[in-house]
Amino acid sequence: MTDSVIRSEYRFERYSTVARTPRADVVRDLIGAAADVYAISCYVWNMGLVRAVVEAIRQARPQAQIILGGPQVMSQAQRYLSRTDEKTVICNGEGEITFSQYLRALTESSPRFEEVGGLSFYRDGELVTTAKQPRISSLNDIPSPFLNGIFDSHYSIAILETNRGCPYHCGFCFWGAATNDRVYRFDEDRVREEIKWVAKNEILFLFIADANWGMLSRDVDISRHITDCATEHGAPNVVYFSAAKNKPQAVTKITGIFQDANLIASQPVSLQTLEPTSLDLIARSNIKLSAFSAIQEDLREKRISSFIELIWPLPGETLDSFKRGIATLCENEAQTVIAYPHLLLNNTPIYHSADTMGIVTRPAGGDVAEARIVIGTKEATVEDFEEGMYYFYAFHALHNTHSLRTVSRYLVREKGMKYQDIFSAFADFLRRQGEDDPILSYIERSVRDADYYDVNNYGLFIHSVLHEHREVSARHVRRFAQSQDWWDDSKARALFEIDLVNRPYMYSNTPMDVHGEEFQALRVLDRGPRSYTVQVPAEHLTELADAVHLPATPEDGIYTVEHKRLQYPFMPTQSRDHSGSYCHGMIEKVGNVLPLWQPVSPSSEEKGLDAHAAV
């Protein structure tokens, strides 16, 4: 709109809807708009829908011009264009300049697309791809949609770009390859004004779209500016960001800034894999494990949750190395570890080397998406992949929920066991449950149908384990523990009781577990609405203090275990997707919903006051 020709010749309408909107509705709306030009953003999660929409538009409006852009179609003209359709083109690269030049070309009686950089199209049955546009180095030349009235205030989330580019060339990602290493910045004053706009317009969620937030020194000060605006205007309420890969200290500082302002509660650490061979194959420089350990301890002291992101399976990763990697993270006090599926994305280095790397894929996401999930590599067979998925679900149910956390630490540190053996044994135990078992059925369905493609799948699993089928899940953990050789260890049995009391709740209204009669070591002295008062034998206080970081150790070992933390109530009227998204976010910051153990004052006990009330 800063171009006078475009401003005088065009009228723009935005069309935005969720990808699960019925296809017929999307087609009806777009054809009904009777546009001359349709510009569509294409991603792995919406490309199935886009293909159908483009075909419907072409049939209903044969004279309409269509331009496709986005990472799914860039440099993929032969895959997405038809020789018989000269009115559909693809934008390769950044869209701002190419789209403007394309629109100007359309104002001419005979559009000369060959003079527009960054386009692919067919002419007379031949595919034409013009020279790439130079990257936009002066990002301030791009007008701000926030500050120029393009956006209004009815949105609930704002996506903010403070810089553009990525210096890395990770094999599974196209970001670095698309931007040729260079990172260009928007002017800081402009960024600050955009943040003010977001805050003043009460946009609740802010997503920082930079590839490596915390990489630039100014990111710390901009983070403080975000919290200042949130304090002044009451928004945003939550900030999301992709953390810088090799600046853990800066990211920790930023996370602390956001946490102090209650805008974020967990720090993501994107390791992807710990296997050196895999790291070499995917050209990824990871943070050192020693640095990671120090960061984890720093975060624990500051009471900041963190979650580790892995990808399974990456080239070079074996089933054994995947299991060992997760075990290593547990040894280094990782609170939550999430193993995401490996999406084979167009244009990535792995995409171009798929055959030599032995990549095997399967479709996922239904007919709305065009996702392909990697289920095999040279190093991991399809059977290995499936076993790895069962392993992760077992780990997710056992470790991320703290359901056997204290016992596992003791067995590994004092008895020489390995975390991977504990989690593998639990995975085998789950697979032996009957076909009517809801936990096993969920895992089997997820692996069979590739439901793990949807990020809410892991959250819904937690919803099942810690809420919907909590009793079943607790019974599994107990029966598993009792079936293991280490159950003969009286210390392990006592610590198991601590784990039962310490098992968190995702919702504030999930019925509390009933403990007491089956306990041999702990004594349950009282129950409150969302708490227990327990007495821990003196010989187990050291392990308890190490596991839950107690503020003090009373001589009588009496504590209240307060489960009322930052949970929201479960609302049956909300969708399953809502529950999945909520629980996934909560398990990523599980430290914020783990119970608080507080010593009961001896003086209060002497006065005969109720132990819970005394706290």
Side-chain angles (χ1 to χ4, degrees), residues 445-589:
R445 184 172 62 255
S446 297
V447 176
R448 181 188 67 237
D449 299 338
D451 288 348
Y452 45 78
Y453 161 75
D454 187 340
V455 69
N456 289 335
N457 173 267
Y458 289 163
L460 281 172
F461 184 63
I462 295 300
H463 171 85
S464 178
V465 166
L466 292 182
H467 174 73
E468 186 176 9
H469 301 293
R470 186 180 180 92
E471 291 184 8
V472 175
S473 174
R475 187 164 63 248
H476 284 341
V477 176
R478 174 176 287 282
R479 288 176 50 225
F480 166 71
Q482 292 172 341
S483 70
Q484 301 300 296
D485 292 341
W486 49 260
W487 187 251
D488 292 335
D489 188 324
S490 60
K491 171 74 77 173
R493 293 197 301 272
L495 297 180
F496 178 76
E497 294 175 6
I498 291 175
D499 280 329
L500 288 181
V501 173
N502 200 52
R503 199 167 186 239
Y505 295 84
M506 293 293 101
Y507 301 100
S508 62
N509 57 353
T510 302
M512 293 282 285
D513 299 331
V514 177
H515 297 304
E517 294 182 1
E518 79 278 15
F519 283 3
Q520 301 295 317
L522 269 67
R523 291 179 58 206
V524 179
L525 305 178
D526 189 30
R527 293 183 182 89
R530 303 302 298 176
S531 67
Y532 305 101
T533 302
V534 300
Q535 185 171 29
V536 182
E539 61 266 29
H540 305 310
L541 289 175
T542 299
E543 285 83 7
L544 175 64
D546 188 39
V548 301
H549 304 287
L550 300 175
T553 303
E555 292 182 3
D556 57 11
I558 298 177
Y559 296 89
T560 58
V561 186
E562 179 60 65
H563 278 276
K564 185 179 180 182
R565 297 294 309 280
L566 299 176
Q567 305 97 328
Y568 286 101
F570 171 65
M571 293 176 284
T573 56
Q574 292 283 8
S575 68
R576 295 277 290 176
D577 277 348
H578 172 86
S579 297
S581 177
Y582 167 78
C583 286
H584 187 65
M586 294 295 279
I587 205 67
E588 287 180 344
K589 49 182 180 288

Side-chain angles (χ1 to χ4, degrees), residues 60-74:
R61 297 187 57 75
Q63 297 305 311
Q65 301 284 341
I66 301 173
I67 180 169
L68 308 177
Q72 189 69 3
V73 297
M74 290 166 55

Side-chain angles (χ1 to χ4, degrees), residues 99-167:
F99 185 47
S100 296
Q101 292 180 355
Y102 164 80
L103 292 177
R104 282 197 63 134
L106 286 176
T107 64
E108 302 172 358
S109 57
S110 298
R112 295 190 296 273
F113 289 159
E114 64 276 4
E115 296 180 3
V116 178
L119 280 187
S120 289
F121 54 91
Y122 274 100
R123 279 291 180 271
D124 301 322
E126 296 294 327
L127 180 64
V128 179
T129 295
T130 63
K132 293 181 179 180
Q133 291 277 7
R135 277 194 62 200
I136 304 172
S137 58
S138 179
L139 295 181
N140 292 315
D141 292 343
I142 304 171
S144 169
F146 296 98
L147 306 179
N148 286 276
I150 302 301
F151 294 151
D152 51 44
S153 61
H154 80 275
Y155 294 101
S156 60
I157 184 168
I159 300 176
L160 178 71
E161 193 179 35
T162 80
N163 65 58
R164 185 177 290 185
C166 180

Side-chain angles (χ1 to χ4, degrees), residues 312-313 319 322 339-341 383-395 443 446-447 452 457-458:
W312 166 250
L319 175 61
F322 174 62
Y340 292 111
E383 291 74 22
D384 289 339
F385 165 76
E386 291 186 354
E387 185 177 341
M389 290 305 301
Y390 276 92
Y391 177 86
F392 172 73
Y393 279 106
F395 167 84
I443 298 172
S446 297
V447 176
Y452 45 78
N457 173 267
Y458 289 163

